[in-house]
Amino acid sequence: MLFANEDELRRRMPIIAATPELQERELIKLAAWRAALDAALRNRGVDAAEAHLAAEVSIAVLNVAAGRWLADDTGGDDLPALVRATSASLRALT
């Protein structure tokens, strides 16, 4: 589960951000997640173009939420709450 250990994720993300090799690995991992989500949606009968859009947007929402979460050193929102809030912001914008 992505959110199983938020403390570990909070420690890992700045290290990844500071290390080009780890950034590349992270991009590869996100591309794999994107492809898996795209395939899962298409397997459920979602149109290919819509599945691709949903997968791209989902990863973008996750990245923006994670950045907001890392920037919040007050211990406010948890990461899943920020993913929901970021998704709601995107819906309001579009």
Side-chain angles (χ1 to χ4, degrees):
M1 180 88 198
L2 177 64
F3 308 120
N5 191 339
E6 290 186 8
D7 290 335
E8 180 181 328
L9 186 57
R10 206 179 268 283
R11 286 190 303 271
R12 285 180 64 238
M13 290 180 80
I15 295 168
I16 292 169
T19 311
E21 295 83 2
L22 295 177
Q23 290 172 22
E24 182 177 2
R25 183 178 181 277
E26 188 73 3
L27 290 173
I28 291 167
K29 181 174 60 176
L30 291 174
W33 287 2
R34 200 177 294 116
L37 179 55
D38 185 316
L41 290 169
R42 282 185 286 109
N43 286 339
R44 290 183 178 181
V46 175
D47 173 75
E50 290 180 0
H52 180 75
L53 176 61
E56 292 287 339
V57 169
S58 295
I59 295 300
V61 165
L62 177 61
N63 280 328
V64 169
R68 289 175 58 197
W69 179 67
L70 279 177
D72 178 21
D73 57 2
T74 65
D77 287 327
D78 62 7
L79 185 52
L82 283 170
V83 169
R84 290 187 297 274
T86 302
S87 182
S89 294
L90 178 62
R91 277 192 303 276
L93 286 170
T94 57

